[in-house]
Amino acid sequence: MAFRWNTNFTFFDPIKTMLASHSKAGYFLMLARFIERAMYYGVRAIIVIFAMSAYNVSRAEALSWYGFFTGLVYLSQFLGGILTDLLLKSKISILAGGILQIIGVLLFIIPDYEVYKAAGILFSIGSGLYSVNIASIFGRLYTGKSECLASGYTLFYMLINAGAFLGVLLLPMLALKWSHSIAFSIIAGLLTISTLFSFFFTNSKIPEVKRVLSAPKGKGVLLIILSIIATSVFWTSFEIVGGFITVKSMEVNEAFNGAVDPYFTLDVNSYTVMITGVLLFLIWSYSYISNILKIGIAMALAGIAHYTMLIQLESLDSLYQLLLFHTIILAIAEMLIIPATLSIFASYSHPKYLTLIYGSAVFAGALLLRLQSDYSWELIDYPEKITFKITAYTLLGVGAVFLLLNQFLKDKSPYELIRETTEKEPDLKEGDLLD
């Protein structure tokens, strides 16, 4: 059965129940991640214009370095996963990542173009190292509490998006009102707070079980691989159609004589993700739906959203409404698939290699994005005939696979997994550490 009510929770005291379901360390990690993402995306929002104005470089060169910095973030997450799981502890890696980000931001203040490049490299490496480790530490906090994983990761991911939204909104305003130096100084201060929260307000011993406690190893490996493929396809299709959606949004902007923001879909995406995140956090706090089913539904929703863009419209007003529908459905799908994928990683990965799994997933998605980046823009003149059909059919196909897998793999409720584990290994308890 794919849907089960969580009888461990009561509707009569919902606020107390939901708050008690997650550890204090978890809330501090959520807050730390929220602050860090706001600062990261704030830096991304201002460094291109900063390079052009401070060092008089061309837009093309500034964007080239921007692309290099963002690519380095993906690579450092993968390498950081290897480094952490094989050599360092997660908390040490988080501290190192936070310090690198802080140093990088402070170096942006120094008026030298070569220092600017070095600052971007340090900031990017630090961001990747920090990101992959805080996600894995957060997952490990739910050892023995896997019934809370879905709601925990949903709130965690929602706060990531909220932080990104506020960072992009506020930090460029600070840079314009005062100066880039002041903005970078504020960013460095807030990153320091984020790093301290991550390091000092998390237990020194992250709960790690001696072995994966759920399904047979073969099933766990299969789910992890399929989840990585699904999220990679989801984000690749998202980026492929992103250019076309921007073009369509600009057409709407021109048709309404500037009354509609040409980037209104970005704001709608952020609002929808935050609202949906809160609602799903409440729902998953009281109920359980198979993560496989969530991914299948998310892929199907994304496929339907892309397919609707093939509709022949008679007016630009209808195009505006269609773009709103497309953006909202994609945002809902995003809030389904990402927390579900993270929950699968945390549930079926060996805790010792959880950081590497997260890093590999991010890197796989980045590689797929890189492979399609040059090709997608060549289709800009034929979006209805080619691009949206390809992405829609691909997403619907992957979604159908997951919906079928949900029937055959029988992804169990975490309550069943805990009960079976207790019966088979009564000596195993929360807090057991890896040998």
Side-chain angles (χ1 to χ4, degrees):
M1 186 176 179
F3 182 90
R4 298 174 180 83
W5 287 104
N6 179 359
T7 55
N8 293 331
F9 291 100
T10 172
F11 283 94
F12 300 105
D13 197 3
I15 297 178
K16 180 180 178 180
T17 298
M18 285 186 293
L19 292 177
S21 299
H22 307 280
S23 66
K24 292 180 181 179
Y27 287 118
F28 276 114
L29 286 179
M30 291 181 196
L31 178 59
R33 187 61 165 154
F34 168 80
I35 296 172
E36 188 272 340
R37 286 293 86 182
M39 299 305 101
Y40 170 76
Y41 281 99
V43 169
R44 283 183 51 168
I46 64 179
I47 58 172
V48 172
I49 296 178
F50 172 68
M52 294 170 62
S53 60
Y55 305 113
N56 198 30
V57 300
S58 66
R59 179 181 177 85
E61 183 177 353
L63 288 174
S64 176
W65 276 104
Y66 174 86
F68 175 75
F69 294 152
T70 54
L72 192 57
V73 172
Y74 295 122
L75 179 60
S76 62
Q77 289 195 53
F78 176 64
L79 297 179
I82 297 175
L83 179 66
T84 299
D85 286 343
L86 298 183
L87 297 175
L88 302 176
K89 294 182 178 180
S90 291
K91 289 192 66 175
I92 299 300
S93 296
I94 276 188
L95 181 61
I99 291 174
L100 286 175
Q101 287 188 90
I102 295 166
I103 293 174
V105 169
L106 291 175
L107 287 177
F108 278 128
I109 300 175
I110 299 176
D112 184 276
Y113 189 46
E114 297 303 318
V115 175
Y116 165 86
K117 297 176 184 178
I121 292 173
L122 290 177
F123 180 77
S124 300
I125 294 174
S127 176
L129 195 59
Y130 182 96
S131 297
V132 71
N133 279 281
I134 196 171
S136 65
I137 285 182
F138 186 81
R140 290 181 184 133
L141 290 175
Y142 289 86
T143 299
K145 296 177 60 179
S146 55
E147 72 275 11
C148 302
L149 261 177
S151 59
Y153 266 126
T154 297
L155 186 59
F156 184 78
Y157 186 71
M158 186 276 289
L159 287 173
I160 288 176
N161 283 270
F165 176 76
L166 290 177
V168 172
L169 178 67
L170 298 177
L171 290 177
M173 294 172 57
L174 291 178
L176 289 174
K177 183 176 181 180
W178 294 324
S179 68
H180 284 92
S181 296
I182 293 177
F184 286 133
S185 299
I186 293 174
I187 291 169
L190 290 172
L191 283 174
T192 301
I193 295 174
S194 172
T195 303
L196 292 176
F197 276 174
S198 303
F199 188 79
F200 290 109
F201 292 96
T202 305
N203 295 330
S204 59
K205 293 184 178 180
I206 302 302
E208 293 181 309
V209 294
K210 294 181 178 179
R211 58 189 66 82
V212 179
L213 299 181
S214 52
K217 292 182 179 180
K219 174 184 172 181
V221 172
L222 177 62
L223 284 177
I224 290 170
I225 293 174
L226 290 176
S227 298
I228 291 175
I229 293 174
T231 52
S232 298
V233 171
F234 178 85
W235 284 121
T236 300
S237 66
F238 190 95
E239 294 297 329
I240 286 176
V241 303
F244 307 119
I245 296 300
T246 299
V247 171
K248 296 295 184 183
S249 300
M250 289 181 175
E251 291 178 5
V252 172
N253 171 263
E254 293 176 1
F256 287 90
N257 297 318
V260 177
D261 189 331
Y263 303 104
F264 72 91
T265 54
L266 299 178
D267 292 336
V268 172
N269 174 269
S270 297
Y271 297 143
T272 306
V273 164
M274 289 185 282
I275 294 172
T276 304
V278 172
L279 293 176
L280 289 180
F281 169 71
L282 297 174
I283 293 172
W284 303 151
S285 293
Y286 295 99
S287 63
Y288 176 79
I289 295 179
S290 162
N291 288 311
I292 302 174
L293 181 59
K294 290 177 189 174
I295 295 176
I297 294 173
M299 298 297 281
L301 286 175
I304 292 171
H306 290 333
Y307 197 82
T308 58
M309 296 304 297
L310 299 173
I311 298 175
Q312 298 295 323
L313 302 174
E314 297 180 356
S315 67
L316 287 175
D317 183 61
S318 298
L319 176 59
Y320 174 71
Q321 296 174 11
L322 184 60
L323 288 172
L324 285 177
F325 174 81
H326 178 269
T327 303
I328 291 171
I329 296 301
L330 274 186
I332 294 172
E334 179 183 344
M335 281 307 304
L336 283 172
I337 190 172
I338 304 304
T341 301
L342 294 173
S343 297
I344 285 177
F345 293 164
S347 297
Y348 293 102
S349 300
H350 194 297
K352 185 177 180 180
Y353 304 110
L354 184 56
T355 311
L356 178 57
I357 295 296
Y358 285 140
S360 299
V362 172
F363 190 61
L367 282 179
L368 195 55
L369 286 172
R370 182 65 186 89
L371 290 174
Q372 62 78 33
S373 59
D374 295 332
Y375 175 69
S376 63
W377 281 102
E378 295 175 2
L379 303 177
I380 194 67
D381 294 328
Y382 310 98
E384 291 83 6
K385 295 181 179 179
I386 302 176
T387 306
F388 285 111
K389 282 187 177 180
I390 292 175
T391 56
Y393 290 149
T394 301
L395 290 165
L396 289 171
V398 175
V401 170
F402 271 85
L403 293 176
L404 290 174
L405 285 175
N406 184 62
Q407 298 299 318
F408 290 104
L409 292 181
K410 299 294 182 183
D411 185 28
K412 298 182 179 180
S413 163
Y415 317 117
E416 294 177 355
L417 298 179
I418 292 173
R419 183 169 62 249
E420 290 181 359
T421 299
T422 303
E423 293 172 357
K424 294 177 181 179
E425 301 185 61
D427 61 322
L428 192 62
K429 59 184 183 299
E430 181 181 358
D432 286 344
L433 299 179
L434 285 167
D435 296 330

